Amino acid sequence: MKNINFLFVLIFGLSLGLTSCEDFLEETVKDQVSVDYIYNSPAGLEVGVNALYNQMRFYNLPSGDNSDLWANVFFMVATDLGLHRTWNTPYGTGHNPQSFTGSKWIQGYKIIDRCSAIITSARSIKMDEAAKKRLVAQARVIRGELYLDLKQMYGGILIDTIPTTPQNINDPVEYKVASDADVYKLIDGDLDYAIANLPFKVDPGRYGQGVARHIRGKSALWQQDWAEAAAQFDAIINDGTHGLVNLIDVWGQNGNHKESLFTYQKDFLLGPSDELAGGGGSWLSSVFTHRTYELNTSELVQDVAYGGQALGWFYPNNYLKSLYDQANDLRFKTYYYSDNYQDYKINVPSNPKFGQPITNPAIAAPNGNYRAWHWSLKKYHDSEKLPMTSNSYKDYMYYRLAETYLLASEAHHNLGNDTKALAYLNKVRRRGYTGNPESTVTTFDLTAWTLNNYLDESARELAFENNRWFLLKRLGLLVERQNLYFRSSPSGTISGEVQLKMTPAMVNMPIPQSQIDLMGKPAGFNVGYN
Amino acid sequence: MKQNKHVKMFCREGKYLQLVLLLFMCILSTTASAQESPITGKVVDNAGLPLPGVNVHVKGSTKGTQTDFDGNFTISTAPKSTLVFSFIGMDEVSVETENRKNLKVVLKPSSQALDEIIVVGYGTKKKSDVISSVASVKPGDMTKVATSDVGEMLRGKAAGVQVSLNDGGPGSSSSIQIRGKKSINGSNEPIVIADGIVIGNINDINANDIASLEILKDAAAQSIYGARASNGVILITTKRGKTGKAKISYNGFSGVQTINRNFDVYSGEEFAQLKREAYRTSNGGVYRPDNQVFTPLELESVQSGKYIDWEKLVLRTGVTNNHSVSISSGTEKTSIFSSINYINTSGVIANSDYDKVAMRVNVDQRITDWLKVGMNVSLQFSESNRPNVGNILNNAINTSPLGQVYNPDGSFRYLPGGIQETPNPLIDVYETNTNELNRNDIMNVFLDINLAKGFTYKLNASRRSWNYKAMSFNTSKSLSGIANSGQGSGYIRFQDNVEYQLSNILHYNLNVAEKNHFNVTGVYEITSSEYNDFRNSASRIPSDILGIYGLESAFLNTPEIGGNERSLISFAGKLEYDFDSKYYFTVSGRADGSSVFGANNKWGFFPAVNAAWNVSNEEFMKEHVPVISNLKLRASYGKVGNQPKDPYQSMATATQRDYIINGVKVSGYVPGSQLSNPDLRWETSTQLNLAADFGLFKNRLNGTVEVYNTDTSDLLIYETLNANTGYTTKLSNIGKVNNKGLEVTLNGDVIKKKDFRLNLGATFTKNKNSIVSIYGKDADGDGREDDAVGNLWFIGKPIDVYYRYKAVGIYQEGENIPLVTGTTLYPGDIKLWDADPSNGANPNPDQDRVITSKMPDWFGTFSVALEYKQFDFSADIYTVQGITRDNPFLYDYVRGGSLRGVKNGIKQDYWTPENPGGNWPRPRDGNDPPYINTLGLQDASYIRLQNVSVGFKFPESTLKPLGLSNMRLYVTGSNLVTLTDYQSYSPEKEIYDYPEPVTCVIGLQVGF
């Protein structure tokens, strides 16, 4: 029996004594880094800022076909320049707090919180002050940019600059619409800090002083502080780091040119998903392009020259088309695919007429088919895209100097300086007509600064960029113009084109109902929606 | 080279071999024999009939034999020795030979069912002494179901246990829910314990190896498993070797599989007409000429009348084979049970198959009179192949029947109808494949020590590992290959999981003054596990020559890596007392320390008490109410836990989100959308269980009625955070859910004659689930807690609900159609239910949406077992009632539900001006009819003839010359008939899921 007891004590004792409970139950994460590292070390701060760019790219250029894409496409198309064929219907039954995508609201506040965490924690990190300021300045541009974005989209928003932690998550919060003054104070504070601490010249993919001033100028326009706006825009124009490029290069394959104030970087080879460095395949190049290859399968197959695999969900409309001097304005042929069938050449190798123009597509009203044939946008054309996919990995220019010129023109007009206002307007216009940014040809110059001249020129230059919806909203013209010119044709025919009524309340996007519910339905949000 | 490979293979398996060898080295059987002489005899049952096949062996030796068909035996042994007679279903008898030459032995049937041994937490009990809710499932009933999924075999076998199929494909598994859904975001799956070891999945055990399977349902039975037990515990005990002559059994079946559906899709003509109607609607009600509606390829079909039946091209008749052999043998000192099982299934979807081999060796060795060692080794290998299309059936249904399947050269046409949205579904069936290899090893070594009379110690050490390898490839001709300009793609993935468990178990039995029985159990257990995951995705592989092995040449390889570790320390104990088998009282509890709990909450304690009164053991019952042969009333109350599913949720971490600066990759890290919770802990379920077990007429009618009330608090909920905090979710312990239920099990031996037996059984389960509380806030001040509408959690309603507008009809011409924002409604569009028409026509989200439960009202089974002479017959009917499911095929564009004439779908009676009685909206191309998603909810109640089996036992006269002890030939059909209104291949699945097949097999059981 002695033996037995010994054995028992040995085994039981061994297994008990193997570990101390505390150590045994402690968790150490293997495949992620601790938050402490990011917010408490110089190296952590840097990777924290890098990740903000990744998040912003997802915010403004998500991959695939989803509600995140719709959140971006909406602002490109749901204006007086757009035509809807299918996919989501702007201002339709889905335009309410229950159904409309909450992508911008949710992602926006997420990135704002991460910016705040970096801005706050940087204060206590010991490192080279200049380097620290450059990092913090980038986080502050992003925060300012996002608050301006949310303010423009939703009207009534919340502001909060305290980073969320498990410790403060349950602190009492009063949900109320932030006053315009408070919102703009926060935005301007962030951007002014960034302008003071960022150089103009930065590596492609990074925020520099140019983009900070551009956003700061936009903020000033919303506040009708014309002098401030003009000063910011002039500073960018006069600095010389940025300049207009040849028309052909504006939306060319290289998005990192002089005219770009900021371009989102993508590279298939660095990982093809939103989470990875390279970024996921964007569908922007397909959304606004007709499917010519469906016209006649014996004549055309998917060809990158004509946009490759395409979707044709939204198109530029006839009103926009009417704004162009089609013979002389080179932007008509540069920013859009040709609407002349003879420019499309038969590319089915077995077709005896290979290389010759395709036969006249049946585009005559009312039996045409917009899906296969409609005047289409070429700005997001990607000549390196694979022909049988909608995925494009082309860099995406998000802010550009041409917009700066046009906005500056508006600011100077409001300051009473129409000479300068016209000069800026014509600077962009001359490039449009000659292709040359330095052109001095005055033949096509506008001679008077009027609101219509300004809006039309802006449309010709910036259509389907992230500009029109916000511009019209700021000028109080969005509902009126939208209802005048926007069209929807689910049948894909001219005769099927109908107007979709935008109600005045829709100038503020619906905040997701789930968020309203979570806040306990406070007053002041989603005014005019159910 | 080839030899080398085998050597390597042996080395790899060397670890197991070593362990096996070590064990066998311990096994030194010492059999000294004295002078021997033959003894003959005859074994009969209590009716005097001879018993063939009875095991006879000499106690203390390996010597043994079996009786012949007349019950006679002969064996040589020392004049004074002990013979042991054993036979299944009979009590074992030991006889001293005492120099006799001829023996007559009578075997009595085993004491009645109540003396069956039931496995409970860390021990066993006589069934009559079990006072908590434990359901036993007979292994013989399980293996009657022709499936490779053990979960599926449990369906309908025990009250309170709901089984639903995850995926009906070859080699699939089921999800098991015991007594309702208790957790909102935590796991709702029970833990499965085989031979004392927590295993990953019930399918890690070969069904043919199961000696007993018990399901612990109430807190009293579960509490000894503490923080992991609140979803129930399934205890499996595998078969062990038996002393006596080796016994070899074979059980196998082969058969065919097919699937049934209860809906129609539009035929070619009907689809063409649907398309015309869709184009007509958007053309101001005027039909357009066919050449504007159809593409040239489609038009060819329409004109020639030749349409495509995609379902026929995608589906085939599946084949399933299952063969199992087991050997049980043993001497006084050593016994071994070994088995091998082979399963092979080719699925009903072309290009899908599954193979599995399971092997087991269970060894017991008595070393001294106080020490016993044993080892269980189970190895499983499986391999499956499937096309990489999650929704092949979906594509088979919704690809347009117009067009051509093949190109003139015989290859698959990419776009059969020339429409980009509907590529040829056959391409990916044949041009893509995922090959998955799984290896499951479970090994445990145990030591039983008799410390003193009634005092035992058991050490159980185990290692369980799972290895997974997946190789997925899309060829250059697959749809993704076409999209990538004729380049392949795919991934290779390795996952592994190793878990160690060490249990120390002490038992002490004590009887005081004969009638006072005490039983004490103490457990100390530690568990730790490690998980790794590595995946390499390869994009744009230039050639198909090597398949996924060509990934080195891919344009881009993207690796992903993940891994975690988790650990658990537990102390558990149980004190049981009964007086004279009449009054029972038990206290038990477990303290669990788990690594997945937050730093501020590392330990949880889970106690339980229960008591029972065995009324039928009272003298007055025996005297005055003899008709009641068994009556036991019992009550239990206790707490059990549910730990968070995933590790690291209490830790604040940042995930990798890299970016590109100046063309160069830069590293980025950012916290995700989920906020960490350092206070994270377990869910606690507190359960009251009241039950009565009864038996009437000598137990010919017996059953159990139970009611329970479970409150689950500190729910693990992904709390939705207000997005402006920067986080959208946090795993929190908040809220409370209640489950109340009634379970009835009835079993009756209606006819019990020698040649004719009829047994009827039924189970009934009703569970009512409701949310008691979530955030505990009453912001609107109506005196009632606010619902969490954003998450669809409503106070007083079940956990899973739909919350939607409701369609009540179709607008007719001439009807007053209201104006709504965002669209214009026309005749033929859907009319919504409006709670208050006076507040405007726009659907009001607060008033007009309707809550519909996803949970069934009740489910139950009815079973018949019949034996007549050599024939046996059994059938199970399973039903689930009062359940509603959302059927996306009724409305979703990509499922062909939105009547746009692009995708085919389930045939409906749609409205047209000429068919105003149609109950489905008018088709239109371009966009979906407004509010069509309100048509999705469908009653998914069903009645299913789940299993029918007819068998024939060959008579002894036939078997004798063949040297067989038994042989049964049987035919089994599974899922033969299902009655339901839910339009799908299965009421439990969406159409695009792999449905559970209808299976018919022929099988054979043979014993040597």
Side-chain angles (χ1 to χ4, degrees), chain B residues 808-820 824-834 841 843 911-913 915-922 930-931:
Chain B
V808 289
I810 303 290
Y811 285 115
Q812 298 296 333
E813 290 196 82
E815 197 173 343
N816 183 23
I817 300 176
L819 292 172
V820 296
T824 311
L825 298 177
Y826 299 98
D829 282 341
I830 292 169
K831 185 195 285 181
L832 291 188
W833 178 71
D834 189 350
W911 191 97
T912 63
N915 181 27
N919 59 1
W920 231 246
R922 183 175 187 176
Y931 310 121

Side-chain angles (χ1 to χ4, degrees), chain A residues 1 4-5 7-8 11-12 15-16 18-19 21 24-35 38-39 46-48 50-51 53-55 57 84-87 89 91-93 98 105-106 109-110 113-114 158 160 164-167 169-170 175 203-206 262-272 274-278 291 293-294 302 309-311 366-368 371 386-389 490-491 493 495-496 500 503 506 514-515 517-521 530, chain B residues 282-283 288 292 370 414 418-421 447 449-452 457 459 482-485 487 502 504 506 524 526-528 530-532 539-540 555-556 558 561-565 567-569 571 593-597 602-603 647-648 650-673 675-676 678 720-728 730 789-790 805 821-823 842-846 849 900 925-927 930-931:
Chain A
M1 233 30 187
I4 304 169
N5 289 338
L7 195 67
F8 162 62
I11 293 165
F12 198 75
S15 54
L16 258 180
L18 270 177
T19 46
C21 290
F24 192 66
L25 297 179
E26 201 174 288
E27 282 192 299
T28 345
V29 185
K30 279 180 163 178
D31 54 354
Q32 299 188 339
V33 305
S34 108
V35 164
I38 300 185
Y39 298 135
E46 180 152 3
V47 297
N50 288 344
Y53 287 103
N54 172 295
Q55 303 285 287
R57 182 179 61 194
H84 162 250
R85 185 183 69 82
T86 187
W87 200 46
T89 309
Y91 313 111
T93 45
Q98 287 75 41
W105 181 269
I106 290 162
Y109 277 111
K110 177 184 169 187
D113 176 77
R114 306 302 184 272
L158 295 148
D160 174 13
T164 302
T165 64
Q167 287 70 39
I169 183 71
N170 291 320
Y175 296 109
D203 286 335
R206 220 179 256 296
F262 182 76
T263 296
Y264 286 108
Q265 310 291 305
K266 287 221 174 192
D267 186 345
F268 179 82
L269 284 177
L270 295 180
D274 290 330
E275 289 76 30
L276 300 174
R291 313 184 190 191
Y293 48 88
E294 285 187 355
Q302 282 88 335
Q309 187 95 295
L311 300 162
N367 298 324
R371 210 176 111 118
L386 298 177
M388 298 295 282
T389 168
S491 62
T493 58
S495 63
L500 287 173
T503 65
M506 289 179 180
S514 57
Q515 296 299 319
D517 291 340
L518 284 167
M519 295 191 284
K521 302 186 180 165
N530 262 334
Chain B
S282 54
N283 194 39
R288 291 164 70 173
Q292 287 168 13
W370 53 266
Y414 171 49
I419 309 254
Q420 191 173 310
E421 283 81 354
L447 209 65
I449 303 174
N450 255 321
L451 296 164
Y457 165 72
L459 173 73
I482 291 168
N484 283 301
S485 299
Q487 298 172 99
L502 189 64
N504 296 280
L506 282 170
Y524 164 66
I526 54 175
T527 307
S528 76
E530 187 184 336
Y531 165 77
N532 291 298
S539 308
R540 296 168 61 181
F555 201 52
L556 175 67
T558 310
I561 191 160
N564 62 55
E565 286 172 21
S567 48
L568 184 75
I569 304 181
F571 297 92
S594 171
S595 62
V596 301
F597 300 156
K602 280 290 181 202
W603 284 88
Y648 305 153
S650 66
M651 315 278 291
T653 59
T655 41
Q656 192 173 350
R657 291 289 178 267
D658 296 343
Y659 190 60
I660 309 166
I661 302 284
N662 204 15
V664 177
K665 187 197 287 201
V666 293
S667 180
Y669 283 92
V670 63
S673 294
L675 188 65
S676 61
T720 307
L721 302 178
N722 183 349
N724 90 301
T725 61
Y727 293 87
T728 48
K730 177 185 162 196
V789 182
Y805 296 116
T821 311
T823 188
N842 281 322
N844 183 320
D846 291 333
R849 286 189 286 176
R900 282 164 62 174
D925 81 316
N927 279 82
Y931 310 121

